[in-house]
């Protein structure tokens, strides 16, 4: 091996919770192999955490522990700052201060980058430092590396990902056990799969942050979470999962970004996916991302999207990249968003009303003559083509003697605005007895 005289690169850690302690432990355990790969040692020299006792218990005696994160971001003895605080508040200030102090930054903070990425990347570019964020999307899966480097020859066509483990766990349990959302959410919280406040996960916001980052890298557009369409899984009923299954589909919360004729689609919502697709079979808290490139075709990335050491795996990959490129001319490093900052695209994000996709509809209808004809008539006059219809016997749906039933319709592709208009007309029919359920459908072919 080529001998290296470089001293270890010095790392300051902000926040030593689950991911921070995983990062420290993996760096310790694999330090020799990591040094051989990076060409120099990587050492955590400083840790900031409000819980100093917990931090001291998590690291060795040689690590300086402080309760003031500013001491880390301004320390002359730190080359790289790892930000694991989360959120857009103090984390944003500390990241910008670290950049201003000439430090490289590694962060797992998707919310921060999806909302304030443009400002942060511009600041880093001005200072000639790197902001690396492999851990921000799909935890341990190296999807940022794949998109930014491995697939760089391709014109990316679309990306679809299960990028939130909490919601995938809930959907898997709903399907396996036939239970409704609220029941499974409580169970997931009891088992520690869902946070006490699960809002960002179950409302699709976390997945929205992650798909915003992937979209920027795939298409060379700025990060613009505010333009993403975000819908979570709180409205899903066990019966929809069951009906979807009878039609050969699974329901997954997908983050989707796609090159369309009128711009870039950027959306998160529950989607029916054909049960035969590999991604439809990703169960529990696992993550998976499918990327379609024009040259490579379809590629699939699967793994743990959260957890101490899986996320640490991504954080350390970024540390190694920075250790290797620390002394390189900033112009020769991989750009933050894969495209050169002066070569970004101004393609618009397509409003959801203009997105073209197909649909699953469930209508609770009176079990009487002419109902199906009226519903299909509305679809026909909106120019929406039906792919399949499933009607259960009234007794089966509402019990013996029931006068209502469920009508399930799968449509071919149409523009969202057309479907919204048709739904309003169907909803106004006196024979439609409850709010209509609309779930989008993606063939991912
Ligand atoms: N809360 C996220 C999830 C993990 O459930 O996948 C961190 O992004």
């Amino acid at each position: 091996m080529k001998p290296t005289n470089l001293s270890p690169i010095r790392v300051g850690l902000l926040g030593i919770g689950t991911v921070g302690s995983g990062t420290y432990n993996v760096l310790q355990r694999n330090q020799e192999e990591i040094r051989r790969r990076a060409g120099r040692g990587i050492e955590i020299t400083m840790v900031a955490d409000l819980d100093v006792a917990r931090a001291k218990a998590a690291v060795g005696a040689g690590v300086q522990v402080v309760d003031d994160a500013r001491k880390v971001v301004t320390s002359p003895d730190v080359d790289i700052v790892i930000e694991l605080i989360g959120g857009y508040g103090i984390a944003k200030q500390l990241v910008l201060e670290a950049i201003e102090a000439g430090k490289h930054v590694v962060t797992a903070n998707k919310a921060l980058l999806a909302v304030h990425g443009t400002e942060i990347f511009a600041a880093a570019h001005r200072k000639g430092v790197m902001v690396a964020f492999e851990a921000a999307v799909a935890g341990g899966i190296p999807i940022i590396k794949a998109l930014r480097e491995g697939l760089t020859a391709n014109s990316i066509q679309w990306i679809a990902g299960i990028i939130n483990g909490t919601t995938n766990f809930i959907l898997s349990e709903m399907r396996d056990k036939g239970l409704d959302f609220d029941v499974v959410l409580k169970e997931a919280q009891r088992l520690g799969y869902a946070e006490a406040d699960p809002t960002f996960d179950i409302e699709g916001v976390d997945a929205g942050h992650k798909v915003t980052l992937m979209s920027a890298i795939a298409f060379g557009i700025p990060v613009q979470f505010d333009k993403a369409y975000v819908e979570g899984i709180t409205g899903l009923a066990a019966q929809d999962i069951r009906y979807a299954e009878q039609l050969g589909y699974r329901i997954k919360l997908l983050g989707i970004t796609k090159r369309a004729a009128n711009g870039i689609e950027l959306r998160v919502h529950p989607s029916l996916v054909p049960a035969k697709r590999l991604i439809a079979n990703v169960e529990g808290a696992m993550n998976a991302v499918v990327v379609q490139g024009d040259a490579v075709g379809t590629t699939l990335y699967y793994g743990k999207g959260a957890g101490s050491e899986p996320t640490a795996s991504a954080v350390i990959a970024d540390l190694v990249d920075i250790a290797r490129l620390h002394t390189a001319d900033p112009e020769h490093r991989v750009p933050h968003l894969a495209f050169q900052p002066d070569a970004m695209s101004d393609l618009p994000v397509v409003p959801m009303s203009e997105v073209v996709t197909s649909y699953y509809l469930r209508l609770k209808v009176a079990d009487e003559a002419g109902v199906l004809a009226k519903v299909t008539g509305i679809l026909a006059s909106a120019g929406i083509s039906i792919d399949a219809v499933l009607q259960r016997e009234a007794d089966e749906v509402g019990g013996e003697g029931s006068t209502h039933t469920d009508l399930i319709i799968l449509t071919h592709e149409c523009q969202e605005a057309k479907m919204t208009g048709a739904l309003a007309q169907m909803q106004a029919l006196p024979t439609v007895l409850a709010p209509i359920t609309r779930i989008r459908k993606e063939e991912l072919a």
Side-chain angles (χ1 to χ4, degrees), residues 13-16 45-56 59 63-74 85 90 94:
L13 186 56
L14 308 182
I16 186 148
T45 52
M46 252 184 127
V47 172
D49 200 292
L50 291 176
D51 190 341
V52 172
R54 176 183 74 162
K56 281 193 170 149
V59 297
V63 180
Q64 189 188 351
V65 177
V66 294
D67 64 358
D68 180 0
R70 289 223 155 71
K71 289 197 175 131
V72 174
V73 301
T74 54
I85 295 170
I90 184 71
L94 290 167

Side-chain angles (χ1 to χ4, degrees), residues 137-425:
V137 183
I141 304 174
I143 187 65
I144 300 299
K145 189 83 166 175
L147 286 171
R148 255 180 17 161
E149 299 179 50
L151 298 176
T152 200
N154 288 265
S155 171
I156 306 282
Q157 308 300 306
W158 54 260
I159 300 173
I162 295 172
I163 43 181
N164 182 269
T166 305
T167 45
N168 203 51
F169 174 82
I170 292 173
L171 292 176
S172 298
E173 289 287 291
M174 286 174 74
R175 175 174 159 264
D176 277 355
K177 301 183 178 159
L179 296 172
D180 268 319
F181 171 77
D182 293 338
V183 179
V184 177
L185 173 61
K186 285 206 181 76
E187 180 67 357
Q189 285 173 311
R190 198 181 62 76
L191 293 171
Y193 281 104
E195 310 258 354
D197 179 0
T199 314
F200 264 31
D201 292 318
I202 62 178
E203 298 293 358
V205 177
D206 176 73
H209 290 147
K210 293 166 179 167
V211 74
T212 296
L213 291 172
M214 292 197 290
S215 181
I217 294 173
F219 302 115
I221 58 170
V223 284
Q224 36 201 333
F225 173 68
D226 56 332
K227 306 236 174 79
Y229 174 83
V230 174
E231 180 184 315
I233 62 166
T234 52
L236 283 181
Q239 58 189 324
D240 293 313
I241 293 176
R242 207 172 49 244
Y243 287 141
E245 187 124 37
Q246 289 168 13
L247 291 158
Y249 291 86
R250 301 264 168 91
I251 299 182
K252 295 290 181 188
L253 183 71
L254 292 185
I256 298 168
T257 186
K258 195 183 271 187
R259 194 186 292 277
N262 47 349
I264 302 296
E265 294 179 11
L266 181 57
R267 49 192 171 103
V268 173
H269 49 72
S271 303
L272 271 75
V273 179
K276 63 188 176 199
R277 300 273 179 265
L278 285 172
I279 196 169
N281 295 280
V282 171
E283 299 291 0
M286 299 305 281
N287 280 199
V289 182
V290 183
V291 183
Q292 178 80 19
D294 67 335
V296 72
T298 307
T299 56
L300 170 69
Y301 309 82
Y302 170 84
K304 288 186 179 158
S308 177
E309 293 204 356
T311 312
S313 166
V315 167
I316 296 169
D318 282 344
L319 293 176
V320 170
D321 268 355
I322 293 174
R324 286 172 176 151
L325 294 169
H326 178 55
T327 52
D329 179 342
E331 298 304 315
H332 297 157
R333 296 177 186 148
V334 182
H336 291 114
L337 294 176
F339 290 73
Q340 299 297 336
D342 60 358
M344 298 291 282
S345 158
D346 57 3
L347 276 172
V349 172
V350 179
M352 195 59 205
S353 58
E354 290 176 25
V355 163
V356 173
T357 185
S358 51
Y359 296 87
Y360 160 102
L361 308 175
R362 173 170 56 84
L363 297 86
K364 181 178 175 186
V365 292
D367 188 18
E368 57 189 56
V371 173
L372 182 59
K374 282 201 184 101
V375 167
T376 54
I378 289 171
L379 288 171
S381 54
I384 299 170
S385 167
I386 293 172
D387 182 24
V389 176
L390 177 70
Q391 187 176 338
R392 311 311 301 174
E393 287 195 19
D395 287 0
E396 202 184 303
V397 174
E400 208 177 312
S402 171
T403 54
H404 65 85
T405 190
D406 283 341
L407 181 59
I408 316 299
I409 299 174
L410 297 185
T411 74
H412 288 296
E413 286 190 337
C414 71
Q415 198 188 48
E416 176 99 355
K418 267 192 188 172
M419 179 52 79
T420 304
L423 280 173
Q425 288 181 52

Side-chain angles (χ1 to χ4, degrees), residues 9-15 23 27 42-48 63-64 66 69 71-75 77-84 98 103-106 315 319:
I9 199 157
R10 300 158 305 171
V11 179
L13 186 56
L14 308 182
T23 301
L27 271 176
I42 297 176
E43 278 179 15
I44 293 183
T45 52
M46 252 184 127
V47 172
V63 180
Q64 189 188 351
V66 294
K71 289 197 175 131
V72 174
V73 301
T74 54
S75 169
D77 299 324
V78 166
D79 306 304
I80 307 173
V81 170
I82 307 179
E83 183 274 306
L84 297 173
K103 322 257 180 247
H104 304 290
V105 173
V106 173
V315 167
L319 293 176

